[in-house]
Amino acid sequence: MAQTSAIKYELLHVEKHTGARLGKITTPHGEVMTPMFMPVGTQASVKNISPRELKEIHSQFILANTYHLWLRPGDDLIAQAGGLHKFMDWDGPILTDSGGFQVWSLSDHNQISEEGVTFRNHLDGRKMFLSPEVAMRIQNNLGSDIMMQLDEAIPYFESYDYVKNSVERTTRWAERALKAHKRPDDQALFGIVQGAGFKDLRKASADSLVALDLPGYAVGGLSVGESKPEMNRVLDFTVPWLPEDKPRYLMGVAAPDSLVDGVIRGIDMFDCVLPTRIGRNGTLMTKHGRIVITNAKYKNDFSPIDPDLDDYASTHFTKAYLHHLIKANELLGQNLASLHNLRYLLKLMEDMRQAIAEDRLLDFRAELMENYGYNKPNARLF
Amino acid sequence: MAQTSAIKYELLHVEKHTGARLGKITTPHGEVMTPMFMPVGTQASVKNISPRELKEIHSQFILANTYHLWLRPGDDLIAQAGGLHKFMDWDGPILTDSGGFQVWSLSDHNQISEEGVTFRNHLDGRKMFLSPEVAMRIQNNLGSDIMMQLDEAIPYFESYDYVKNSVERTTRWAERALKAHKRPDDQALFGIVQGAGFKDLRKASADSLVALDLPGYAVGGLSVGESKPEMNRVLDFTVPWLPEDKPRYLMGVAAPDSLVDGVIRGIDMFDCVLPTRIGRNGTLMTKHGRIVITNAKYKNDFSPIDPDLDDYASTHFTKAYLHHLIKANELLGQNLASLHNLRYLLKLMEDMRQAIAEDRLLDFRAELMENYGYNKPNARLF
């Protein structure tokens, strides 16, 4: 039952000491190198950042949110515009999620059944219904390169019985998604392995989804409140059950230590709103850790934000100017901070790929932990 | 009593039918062609626009607000940063106003005397004092290419006696400003002709300021609520009293018809927050008039914003996408709309300079009025 696949994963090198993977994904909108980080463009726009700025910082892939685009401007309108790439002027690959996560986190009165989820949306309170088939119809309209199956977003510490039933339903939903998929030639459907912290349920989930021979797999239900050792533990036993010749995606992760720890465990793809969200509040990611630029000590600090980074903010402006912009609510400050944080993460992934190619990923991790401040006793981390 | 001048104005051509001037101003930060429009960077940032975007749309000059920078981050800090150009990474010329207008429009409890103005600032309510000397000290710290003298911003329809006293004080304040000016070699001080709608007071104001041989003059107290014919009437009689070899500046004007009518009356320089302010709310200036992009009819309009314009928004995105961004409060929408409106005005001035060079400014005006919709009976104009 091999599927026609819109994407192709090529494993280029396995890091000697960790098993981390250097790879390449060929998509209908070009080739990308992995491991990689995908900026999030929730409503068909990466917040405060233009498509040409995304190119400038070497963003390979972006993510967009099915739930938000379904509500506004509507997937029919985007189809009419010629698809999401054309609508938002992004010619690189796009991944869309299923909408499920937002139904749980943003909407009211959601009720799940075998058929799907009924909920009231957060914009106008209208009652709506999301099912595996609806999620596929929307994503087929959007025309993303990679689509995610609808799954149930459940808290990490649910009971074994609840998780078991949910995991089995998620597999049935993957089968239904596959059947409803109208564009297998130019859109790839990924499955999502669930099972919270239960090893046997993770295995059952992985095995049943792998049997569907999907073009890629996400490890879901992580980065939802569990500890970092807990997340790493789940990755440690789950990733080996995924096929070597398909990309593996860890959703909602952008903390530098989590990225390197995910890569070490064989993850190829990451996304998160963190860099743009904290950027809007004036928190900057740098080689030497986080900077809260509104702190008084930066008021007259005329040094660059991050002398080691090549982004527009770091090469043209001072900390004092960024401090002023954010304090004065000038939106240019949000743009520069968001652009900077995204470039920081994209460069981190570039450096990580280099470290994999050179079989020195553990040294790279040690340097990152030291430089970023993870080894300091009272470091305020994320 | 000729002053050392930091800037030089060169009159290149006088339009045959109107007397409109094509000119060039040489400043410490480069040459600019006039007539021209200056984008406003209130708090050391043109709202939502980066310096490199300003270059891209061929912005020659920008304006910054003394009042705002005095309060935050402080002119001392900006001097410490190496001046405003360096602080905000803008290497072209900058004009700063005196701060007087904001004292009147934004602050509370202001009290004017011969010495200056006492007021409580709008940020923290602290009592402050602005005088001709203080306005010069701040602007000398900022290091702008053109500085404005402190004047009194009075309503257009004040009594004759009030305006007469105010105008005479404004001239005394110009003399004090000139004495307090510490950097005549690299900063030019402009005087401001006041006098509301009273011809004799405008003449007295112009004559007394021209006697000071300042490097340039603004016609002040306009665009403050008077009608457009009223504004044109004041320009008609005031501009001829200003020296031919100095630039003339009309403050706070950006409506296309007011720009061409000002140019026809011999004005060389304009500024206004209008293009960025209306852009943030989704109003776009185009060859065929104003577009309120949030209007439902643009929801699925996949045509460019302005097919005749060369800006990033017009050449890469559709009206439907801009409609979506502004409706969804995506800040990229504000960036694109602001950039677009500024480019519209800068291009309008480029075209106007061409029309002056070719002695066809009246034809240009007639086309502009027709195309922009000023001739429509119920056109909603600005």
Side-chain angles (χ1 to χ4, degrees):
Chain A
M1 68 182 285
Q3 304 295 323
T4 312
S5 179
I7 65 158
K8 196 186 80 181
Y9 174 78
E10 196 179 335
L11 179 58
L12 300 175
H13 180 72
V14 176
E15 208 264 351
K16 196 158 52 176
H17 311 288
T18 62
R21 294 144 50 98
L22 183 70
K24 188 170 77 176
I25 306 177
T26 306
T27 80
H29 291 86
E31 291 180 349
V32 299
M33 296 300 293
T34 57
M36 66 163 174
F37 177 82
M38 300 177 284
V40 178
T42 302
Q43 305 188 103
S45 168
V46 176
K47 287 203 187 299
N48 299 297
I49 305 291
S50 64
R52 62 180 176 175
E53 287 172 325
L54 289 170
K55 291 278 176 194
E56 174 186 84
I57 59 173
H58 305 298
S59 178
Q60 302 185 94
F61 226 110
I62 63 168
L63 185 144
N65 290 123
T66 287
Y67 171 87
H68 289 283
L69 296 175
W70 180 24
L71 296 190
R72 187 171 56 189
D75 52 298
D76 286 335
L77 183 107
I78 291 177
Q80 214 188 321
L84 185 53
H85 296 83
K86 206 172 159 198
F87 184 59
M88 67 181 291
D89 192 46
W90 172 255
D91 62 6
I94 299 175
L95 183 148
T96 46
D97 58 10
S98 69
F101 186 78
Q102 282 75 27
V103 165
W104 263 270
S105 57
L106 292 178
S107 73
D108 282 334
H109 307 292
N110 50 66
Q111 278 197 306
I112 190 165
S113 70
E114 181 64 23
E115 193 49 31
V117 206
T118 306
F119 63 97
R120 294 194 179 277
N121 81 54
H122 77 292
L123 282 184
D124 59 14
R126 193 161 36 102
K127 207 168 177 176
M128 298 179 79
F129 177 68
L130 183 62
S131 67
E133 291 78 12
V134 172
M136 291 307 290
R137 189 207 72 213
I138 300 168
Q139 293 182 83
N140 280 157
N141 268 337
L142 298 178
S144 48
D145 299 80
I146 296 178
M147 303 179 296
M148 303 307 294
Q149 69 151 112
L150 183 64
D151 63 342
E152 184 186 4
I154 52 170
Y156 189 78
F157 296 103
E158 268 291 354
S159 71
Y160 182 87
D161 284 350
Y162 190 93
V163 176
K164 182 170 189 294
N165 286 328
S166 172
V167 158
E168 289 166 3
R169 186 165 50 206
T170 286
T171 295
R172 291 192 295 276
W173 283 7
E175 287 165 4
R176 283 167 56 188
L178 199 48
K179 262 191 217 130
H181 186 4
K182 294 272 190 294
R183 299 171 59 178
D185 290 344
D186 64 347
Q187 294 186 268
L189 171 64
F190 277 28
I192 303 177
V193 177
Q194 291 285 359
F198 303 110
K199 192 168 175 180
D200 59 332
L201 298 183
R202 285 278 175 187
K203 174 138 179 42
S205 176
D207 287 351
S208 61
L209 290 169
V210 169
L212 297 177
D213 193 22
L214 297 168
Y217 295 94
V219 184
L222 293 178
S223 197
V224 293
E226 82 287 358
S227 70
K228 288 191 179 189
E230 190 70 9
M231 178 164 84
N232 288 337
R233 188 182 71 88
V234 172
L235 293 177
D236 275 331
F237 58 66
T238 304
V239 173
W241 297 320
L242 299 176
E244 274 218 326
D245 60 344
K246 308 281 176 73
R248 301 133 174 199
Y249 167 29
L250 177 57
M251 299 183 285
V253 163
D257 62 338
S258 300
L259 291 173
V260 71
D261 285 339
V263 167
I264 283 172
R265 286 161 181 81
I267 296 293
D268 308 301
M269 304 165 61
F270 304 87
D271 83 282
C272 191
V273 296
L274 180 102
T276 44
R277 180 168 290 167
I278 66 174
R280 290 200 294 282
N281 297 322
T283 298
L284 302 171
M285 303 171 89
T286 78
K287 182 175 178 180
H288 297 287
R290 287 204 317 176
I291 282 177
V292 180
I293 199 71
T294 48
N295 193 309
K297 72 176 165 184
Y298 299 117
K299 187 172 162 60
N300 57 357
D301 182 338
F302 301 110
S303 68
I305 296 152
D306 188 342
D308 291 311
L309 212 60
D310 57 0
D311 66 304
Y312 180 53
S314 291
T315 53
H316 285 73
F317 304 98
T318 61
K319 294 194 189 83
Y321 186 60
L322 255 287
H323 173 93
H324 165 64
L325 291 179
I326 300 278
K327 294 284 271 188
N329 297 312
E330 282 291 342
L331 296 177
L332 177 61
Q334 299 194 6
N335 165 258
L336 293 176
S338 299
L339 197 63
H340 171 85
N341 284 346
L342 287 176
R343 180 61 194 142
Y344 171 82
L345 287 176
L346 295 167
K347 178 71 162 53
L348 182 70
M349 301 310 289
E350 289 168 14
D351 292 346
M352 232 183 275
R353 293 197 292 271
Q354 188 70 26
I356 295 171
E358 295 168 3
D359 292 316
R360 53 172 179 78
L361 189 59
L362 289 175
D363 291 345
F364 179 89
R365 182 185 186 281
E367 277 166 39
L368 173 70
M369 300 303 279
E370 180 60 28
N371 284 334
Y372 206 80
Y374 285 110
N375 297 340
K376 287 181 195 156
N378 294 311
R380 190 175 153 224
L381 304 170
F382 55 155
Chain B
M1 66 181 284
Q3 304 295 323
T4 311
S5 180
I7 66 157
K8 195 186 82 181
Y9 175 78
E10 197 179 334
L11 179 58
L12 300 175
H13 180 72
V14 176
E15 207 265 351
K16 196 156 57 173
H17 311 288
T18 61
R21 293 143 51 97
L22 182 71
K24 188 171 76 178
I25 306 177
T26 305
T27 80
H29 291 85
E31 291 180 350
V32 298
M33 296 299 294
T34 58
M36 66 162 173
F37 177 82
M38 300 177 284
V40 178
T42 301
Q43 304 188 105
S45 168
V46 175
K47 286 201 189 302
N48 299 297
I49 305 292
S50 65
R52 60 180 178 178
E53 288 173 325
L54 289 170
K55 290 278 175 193
E56 174 186 86
I57 59 174
H58 305 298
S59 178
Q60 303 184 94
F61 226 110
I62 63 168
L63 184 144
N65 290 123
T66 287
Y67 170 87
H68 289 282
L69 296 175
W70 181 25
L71 296 190
R72 185 173 59 191
D75 53 297
D76 286 335
L77 183 105
I78 290 177
Q80 213 187 324
L84 186 53
H85 296 83
K86 206 172 159 198
F87 184 60
M88 67 181 291
D89 193 45
W90 172 255
D91 62 6
I94 299 175
L95 182 148
T96 45
D97 58 10
S98 70
F101 186 79
Q102 281 76 23
V103 166
W104 263 269
S105 58
L106 291 179
S107 73
D108 281 333
H109 307 293
N110 51 66
Q111 278 197 306
I112 190 165
S113 69
E114 181 64 24
E115 192 49 31
V117 205
T118 306
F119 63 96
R120 292 192 180 279
N121 80 56
H122 77 292
L123 282 184
D124 59 14
R126 192 161 37 100
K127 206 167 176 177
M128 296 179 79
F129 177 68
L130 183 61
S131 67
E133 290 79 12
V134 171
M136 291 307 289
R137 188 207 73 213
I138 301 168
Q139 294 181 83
N140 280 158
N141 268 338
L142 298 177
S144 48
D145 299 80
I146 296 178
M147 303 180 295
M148 303 307 296
Q149 69 151 113
L150 183 65
D151 64 341
E152 184 186 2
I154 51 171
Y156 189 77
F157 296 104
E158 268 293 352
S159 72
Y160 183 88
D161 284 349
Y162 190 93
V163 176
K164 183 170 189 295
N165 286 330
S166 172
V167 157
E168 289 166 3
R169 186 165 51 205
T170 286
T171 296
R172 291 191 296 275
W173 282 7
E175 288 164 4
R176 283 167 53 189
L178 199 48
K179 261 190 215 130
H181 186 2
K182 295 272 191 296
R183 299 172 58 178
D185 290 344
D186 65 347
Q187 294 187 268
L189 171 64
F190 277 28
I192 304 177
V193 176
Q194 292 285 359
F198 303 110
K199 192 168 176 180
D200 59 333
L201 298 183
R202 285 279 176 187
K203 177 141 179 41
S205 176
D207 287 350
S208 61
L209 290 169
V210 169
L212 298 177
D213 193 23
L214 297 169
Y217 295 94
V219 183
L222 292 178
S223 197
V224 292
E226 82 287 359
S227 70
K228 288 191 178 188
E230 190 71 8
M231 178 164 83
N232 288 336
R233 188 182 70 87
V234 171
L235 293 176
D236 275 330
F237 58 65
T238 304
V239 174
W241 296 320
L242 299 176
E244 272 218 326
D245 60 344
K246 308 280 176 72
R248 301 133 173 199
Y249 168 28
L250 177 57
M251 298 183 284
V253 163
D257 61 337
S258 300
L259 291 173
V260 70
D261 285 340
V263 166
I264 283 173
R265 285 160 181 83
I267 296 293
D268 308 301
M269 304 164 62
F270 304 87
D271 81 284
C272 191
V273 296
L274 180 102
T276 45
R277 181 168 290 168
I278 67 175
R280 290 200 295 282
N281 297 322
T283 298
L284 303 170
M285 304 170 88
T286 79
K287 183 175 178 179
H288 297 287
R290 286 204 318 176
I291 282 177
V292 179
I293 199 72
T294 48
N295 194 308
K297 73 177 164 183
Y298 299 118
K299 187 172 162 59
N300 58 356
D301 181 339
F302 302 111
S303 68
I305 295 152
D306 187 342
D308 292 313
L309 212 59
D310 57 0
D311 67 304
Y312 180 52
S314 291
T315 53
H316 285 72
F317 304 97
T318 61
K319 293 194 190 83
Y321 185 60
L322 256 287
H323 173 93
H324 164 66
L325 291 179
I326 300 277
K327 294 284 271 190
N329 297 313
E330 282 291 342
L331 295 178
L332 177 61
Q334 299 194 6
N335 166 258
L336 293 175
S338 300
L339 197 63
H340 171 85
N341 284 345
L342 286 176
R343 180 61 194 143
Y344 171 82
L345 287 177
L346 294 167
K347 179 69 162 54
L348 182 70
M349 301 310 289
E350 289 168 13
D351 292 346
M352 232 182 274
R353 293 197 292 270
Q354 189 70 27
I356 295 171
E358 295 168 3
D359 292 315
R360 52 173 180 78
L361 189 59
L362 289 176
D363 290 345
F364 179 88
R365 182 184 186 283
E367 277 166 38
L368 173 70
M369 299 302 279
E370 181 59 28
N371 284 334
Y372 206 80
Y374 286 110
N375 298 339
K376 288 181 195 157
N378 294 312
R380 188 174 155 225
L381 305 168
F382 54 159

